Amino acid sequence: MAIQDAPDYYKEDSKDQDYCGLYNQGATCYMNSILQTLFMTPEFRSHIYEWNYEENQFWEEKDCIPYQLQKLFAKLQLKESSAASTQHLTTSFQWDSQDAFEQHDIQEFCRVLFDVIGETFRNSPLEGFIEKLFQGENKNFVSCLECKNESNRFEKWLDLQITVRDEFEKAISMSRDQDIE
């Protein structure tokens, strides 16, 4: 369903509202959450706005991910409705309507988005801004207990994988253990 076919509450005048949401195309909630996070990062949003689309240098507008991201961010900022459609952005990723109903990995989506933006902004004043904003560095330290030899290795990253304990599963396990006793 396109935004023009959406219920009236998506189209209402929302200039008095603080924020504009994103319309879920099917199973795009993972994408919407990262897009809203990036939109709410002023430095990222500013750099996206600074970039200029040039038809002879890039893909067609409909296929240009940074251009479609600019347009989406503008809709979110202008708050012309209570929710903005991501359909033009997903089309620029070459997704068809079926892809919007398939759950994708948020980390992979973010990596693809960052890679495309980085490639598009190469050889421009905006080159490397993603790394400047989001890149971190780990120091891996190994020390031999016997010979006391030490080794350091630095590793750069744009995303971290962390284990989040599921408190619900923990509570269920504890409950089961208590029932068994």
Side-chain angles (χ1 to χ4, degrees):
M1 171 188 331
I3 193 70
Q4 62 265 21
D5 301 327
D8 286 339
Y9 56 84
Y10 281 115
K11 299 177 188 173
E12 67 190 33
D13 182 25
S14 60
K15 293 192 187 291
D16 295 335
Q17 294 179 352
D18 289 336
Y19 302 104
C20 174
L22 292 171
Y23 185 65
N24 191 341
Q25 288 181 257
T28 58
C29 52
Y30 69 95
M31 179 185 72
N32 291 357
S33 66
I34 194 69
L35 291 173
Q36 288 171 328
T37 300
L38 293 173
F39 174 76
M40 295 302 291
T41 305
E43 299 86 354
F44 183 86
R45 185 175 64 236
S46 174
H47 288 314
I48 293 298
Y49 285 156
E50 285 178 44
W51 177 75
N52 291 313
Y53 172 78
E54 295 178 27
E55 188 173 347
N56 60 346
Q57 192 174 4
F58 301 104
W59 314 270
E60 289 183 49
E61 287 180 0
K62 70 177 183 60
D63 297 325
C64 184
I65 292 170
Y67 178 73
Q68 294 302 328
L69 188 61
Q70 277 183 337
K71 286 176 48 178
L72 179 61
F73 280 5
K75 288 177 184 177
L76 292 174
Q77 192 159 357
L78 294 173
K79 300 180 282 186
E80 293 175 346
S81 64
S82 60
S85 173
T86 57
Q87 190 169 11
H88 292 292
L89 181 63
T90 58
T91 299
S92 71
F93 275 99
Q94 306 303 309
W95 292 2
D96 59 24
S97 58
Q98 185 66 27
D99 290 318
F101 284 93
E102 183 179 322
Q103 185 72 36
H104 297 271
D105 180 73
I106 192 169
Q107 184 179 16
E108 181 181 339
F109 173 80
C110 190
R111 171 64 58 199
V112 169
L113 180 65
F114 282 1
D115 286 348
V116 168
I117 292 169
E119 186 64 32
T120 305
F121 290 14
R122 187 183 310 259
N123 298 322
S124 81
L126 297 169
E127 182 176 3
F129 89 88
I130 289 175
E131 289 78 9
K132 289 176 188 168
L133 285 176
F134 300 112
Q135 184 171 278
E137 187 174 66
N138 283 350
K139 177 181 177 182
N140 295 314
F141 175 80
V142 178
S143 177
C144 179
L145 295 175
E146 292 179 22
C147 70
K148 306 296 185 208
N149 188 27
E150 295 180 353
S151 171
N152 294 309
R153 184 174 54 116
F154 293 91
E155 190 175 306
K156 294 180 180 180
W157 47 266
L158 283 175
D159 48 31
L160 282 176
Q161 291 188 359
I162 56 174
T163 303
V164 178
R165 290 195 173 101
D166 187 343
E167 293 300 318
F168 180 71
E169 281 294 321
K170 188 176 174 182
I172 289 175
S173 294
M174 288 174 53
S175 177
R176 284 186 196 144
D177 292 345
Q178 289 173 354
D179 288 344
I180 291 172
E181 292 174 1

